[in-house]
Amino acid sequence: MSHPEQHRGRWRPRLDRPALIALLFGLAGVVYRLVLTLFTVPVSNSDEATFGLAALHIGQGRERPVFLYGQHYMGMLESYLAAPLVAVVGPSWPVLRLPMLALYAIFLYLIHRLTRRLGTPWFAAFVVGLLALGPERVVRDQLTVVGGRPEVKPAVLLMLLITVGLAAGTVHRRRLAIGLFGLLVGLAVWSDWLILPYLAAAGLALVWAVRRELLGWSGLLLVAGVVVGVAPMIVDNLRAGPGEDSLSVFRAVSTKAGPQPPWSDRVRGGLLEGVPLAHGLCPVDGCGRWQQWFGVLYPVLLLAGAALAVLAYRRAAAAPHGERVGRGAGGLRGERVGPVVQLALIAGAALTLLSYVRSPLAATSPLDNARYLSVLQLSLPAVLWPLWVAALTAWRGTSSVLGRFTGALSAAVLAALTVTTLVITVLFAATGTAASRTEERQARELAAALRADGPHEVYGDYWTCNRLIFNTDESVVCGVLNGNLSPGQNRYRPYWRQVGRAERPGYVVEVDSPMDRRLRRLLADRADAALVREVGGYRVYHPDTPVRPWR
């Protein structure tokens, strides 16, 4: 990555050309996302506001949540990361998202380091360049504070780099590194269970690399690290009532009753919609037929990547003993660790994709649930490596006619992947941010109006309430109702109780929504008198007497 350069008696690192290009790509990706963060693009919502309110409560010392309010399986690490900033600056969407931007920068750095170890410097720069691009679906998963994915991806990359260093003999404090590996596993399990396939693959790679060491103190430190990282979840589950533990709740969420879509529909939704969306090849509203090609190719690339890794593993084993000794402290294990880590990335992607297509949501709602495949970005170096090798071999003219044809085709695929992602990113940056900015402006106008003139205890729907509370720094409190004016998903119960105690609660409803029409029917001839303002696409009602039809 860099070479030491002596300058006036001091040693300074000097980046080689591929590393410099990767740095420029990475800076461009970070700056692009910083601009989006400052403008609150993608648009905020009440799910993200719940994490923000938790960060506010943590910073004020009021709460120490283990899981997202109202759940028992989504860890709150992102809220703890944002809590110091929110405590100092106050509730703000850019402030809430800044730790996610930092995690993205760490992700780019770590994937560059790992890709250089597994492949070549120029391939690492290419991967960073692709990951620097970002249409709405991609940056939404990277920047919004909705739990799990932004932090678990750097954790997995660091685990794999630790494994490479241990096998190659470049890590000196080996027990400390193994303990850190365990801590990262525990934190990732607490944060987001979607990463479990990658954790399993990374764990097997570690066992392969240091299996003898794990029989002693290193194994105890590994287990201790896992326990410390996952301790918040363990404590919470020990206190949970019957059916309220994480496993029971997650199982209930994942297994909905009703007819199961056929496998063909689930595979089609996972491959043709989910995979291209997760890699930034489609706009957020779906993939055209011409954008679905990468989903068709993806299983083929997984098989090709696995085959290349197995060949590289066998080639390293067949190398002469003297050549292996000359390769450094790691010897044979150091040469084999690259293919092993590539296989781990392939296995993680395959298991994640298989887990996703088992869910009916892959068929019934592929656009909304493609976010669960965002972790596939971890495997991009292993998935694209066969294309890079074929293209490079053909470029050097060292292959047969068939090899040159395959190389040219591989180069065309890499070019198509880059151009498609770039075009979708440019279209989003140029034309796709206006709707988000308009919605954010309307949400701020509503918050400012209620904060200034009231009412300060209101009822509203789920997608209005917590965002309104966050935008007003809790000066306005909102209780969640369904469209039929019955109690809805109130994640933080104290808000519901506070509005329930109000003598004259208000209502905040979208104009002409089902809730608006139902409320006007209940108010009858008092509806117009109760309407105090329209702002930002919302109607604010403040009846003279409480209206609580569920009581």
Side-chain angles (χ1 to χ4, degrees):
M1 180 177 181
S2 62
H3 306 286
E5 181 182 62
Q6 192 169 12
H7 182 70
R8 293 184 181 179
R10 291 183 297 175
W11 289 87
R12 295 181 179 179
R14 177 171 56 85
L15 296 177
D16 58 26
R17 185 172 298 178
L20 179 60
I21 296 299
L23 177 62
L24 294 176
F25 282 152
L27 287 175
V30 171
V31 170
Y32 164 58
R33 285 160 177 80
L34 176 60
V35 173
L36 295 179
T37 298
L38 295 176
F39 285 101
T40 316
V41 176
V43 66
S44 63
N45 59 47
S46 278
D47 281 345
E48 187 175 16
T50 305
F51 281 89
L53 291 168
L56 179 64
H57 299 163
I58 293 167
Q60 295 173 342
R62 294 162 50 188
E63 301 280 0
R64 291 292 182 268
V66 174
F67 296 111
L68 180 64
Y69 293 146
Q71 291 183 354
H72 288 276
Y73 64 91
M74 179 67 74
M76 299 296 285
L77 183 58
E78 294 177 9
S79 292
Y80 282 95
L81 292 175
L85 295 176
V86 174
V88 172
V89 181
S92 163
W93 298 110
V95 168
L96 181 64
R97 292 180 178 183
L98 279 179
M100 303 304 101
L101 182 64
L103 287 171
Y104 166 75
I106 295 171
F107 166 71
L108 282 188
Y109 172 74
L110 293 176
I111 203 166
H112 177 260
R113 288 286 304 274
L114 184 64
T115 306
R116 279 184 71 111
R117 297 294 297 269
L118 303 181
T120 65
W122 281 113
F123 179 58
F126 174 75
V127 169
V128 171
L130 270 182
L131 293 172
L133 300 173
E136 183 173 358
R137 175 72 273 163
V138 171
V139 298
R140 182 182 296 277
D141 291 323
Q142 294 167 343
L143 296 181
T144 55
V145 185
V146 291
R149 295 172 291 279
E151 65 266 29
V152 296
K153 290 191 289 186
V156 169
L157 292 173
L158 186 53
M159 282 185 260
L160 293 175
L161 280 168
I162 289 172
T163 301
V164 171
L166 289 170
T170 57
V171 174
H172 301 296
R173 298 184 178 180
R174 300 177 66 85
R175 290 180 179 175
L176 184 61
I178 292 173
L180 175 60
F181 187 104
L183 179 63
L184 292 170
V185 170
L187 289 173
V189 170
W190 169 42
S191 187
D192 192 350
W193 286 12
L194 292 174
I195 203 64
L196 287 178
Y198 280 95
L199 296 182
L204 290 175
L206 178 73
V207 171
W208 173 89
V210 294
R211 52 185 175 271
R212 292 183 180 177
E213 295 179 55
L214 294 180
L215 298 176
W217 282 105
S218 294
L220 292 176
L221 286 174
L222 177 67
V223 173
V226 174
V227 171
V228 170
V230 81
M233 187 175 78
I234 294 174
V235 172
D236 186 87
N237 277 270
L238 290 175
R239 296 173 177 173
E244 295 182 352
D245 60 283
S246 300
L247 188 59
S248 299
V249 174
F250 189 77
R251 188 186 296 117
V253 171
S254 304
T255 56
K256 296 294 186 181
Q260 295 291 315
W263 267 98
S264 57
D265 290 347
R266 285 180 275 169
V267 171
R268 186 181 302 111
L271 289 179
L272 302 187
E273 291 283 351
V275 170
L277 275 167
H279 289 86
L281 298 173
C282 309
V284 72
D285 56 353
C287 301
R289 288 188 177 275
W290 67 275
Q291 297 163 315
Q292 296 176 346
W293 61 269
F294 189 67
V296 177
L297 188 61
Y298 198 79
V300 178
L301 293 177
L302 288 178
L303 292 174
L308 275 184
V310 170
L311 288 175
Y313 186 91
R314 298 181 63 181
R315 190 180 301 117
H321 176 72
E323 182 180 339
R324 294 200 301 266
V325 172
R327 286 171 178 168
L332 176 59
R333 196 166 298 276
E335 285 295 309
R336 281 181 163 182
V337 70
V340 168
V341 169
Q342 285 181 314
L343 285 173
L345 291 173
I346 293 293
L351 291 173
T352 297
L353 192 56
L354 178 62
S355 176
Y356 178 72
V357 298
R358 287 183 62 223
S359 169
L361 295 176
T364 58
S365 185
L367 298 184
D368 294 334
N369 294 282
R371 64 186 185 274
Y372 297 129
L373 293 178
S374 66
V375 294
L376 293 181
Q377 291 179 346
L378 286 167
S379 297
L380 200 61
V383 170
L384 299 185
W385 180 239
L387 296 174
W388 186 271
V389 169
L392 189 62
T393 302
W395 176 265
R396 291 172 176 171
T398 57
S399 59
S400 62
V401 173
L402 179 60
R404 287 194 292 272
F405 172 77
T406 303
L409 186 60
S410 298
V413 171
L414 291 173
L417 182 66
T418 304
V419 171
T420 303
T421 310
L422 177 61
V423 168
I424 301 300
T425 299
V426 171
L427 287 175
F428 166 63
T431 64
T433 63
S436 294
R437 296 176 66 181
T438 298
E439 183 177 342
E440 284 297 330
R441 185 183 69 252
Q442 292 176 338
R444 288 195 300 270
E445 291 173 353
L446 174 65
L450 291 180
R451 191 170 190 171
D453 303 320
H456 293 101
E457 288 89 13
V458 299
Y459 291 105
D461 66 13
Y462 176 79
W463 297 110
T464 300
C465 272
N466 278 11
R467 182 163 67 164
L468 175 61
I469 299 170
F470 186 78
N471 279 334
T472 61
D473 193 7
E474 296 187 304
S475 64
V476 175
V477 178
C478 186
V480 178
L481 299 178
N482 293 324
N484 60 0
L485 299 186
S486 61
Q489 187 179 18
N490 287 276
R491 291 190 178 276
Y492 191 62
R493 299 297 297 182
Y495 294 147
W496 174 259
R497 291 193 290 267
Q498 182 175 339
V499 179
R501 292 191 297 267
E503 294 183 1
R504 284 186 61 203
Y507 276 82
V508 178
V509 297
E510 291 188 43
V511 174
D512 292 329
S513 65
M515 186 181 292
D516 185 17
R517 294 191 292 270
R518 174 77 179 225
L519 181 62
R520 293 189 71 85
R521 284 197 300 270
L522 283 175
L523 293 172
D525 55 355
R526 296 184 296 148
D528 290 334
L531 178 62
V532 294
R533 68 177 59 85
E534 288 191 16
V535 55
Y538 292 87
R539 285 176 177 156
V540 181
Y541 294 89
H542 199 194
D544 291 333
T545 57
V547 178
R548 296 186 175 101
W550 60 91
R551 291 188 175 179

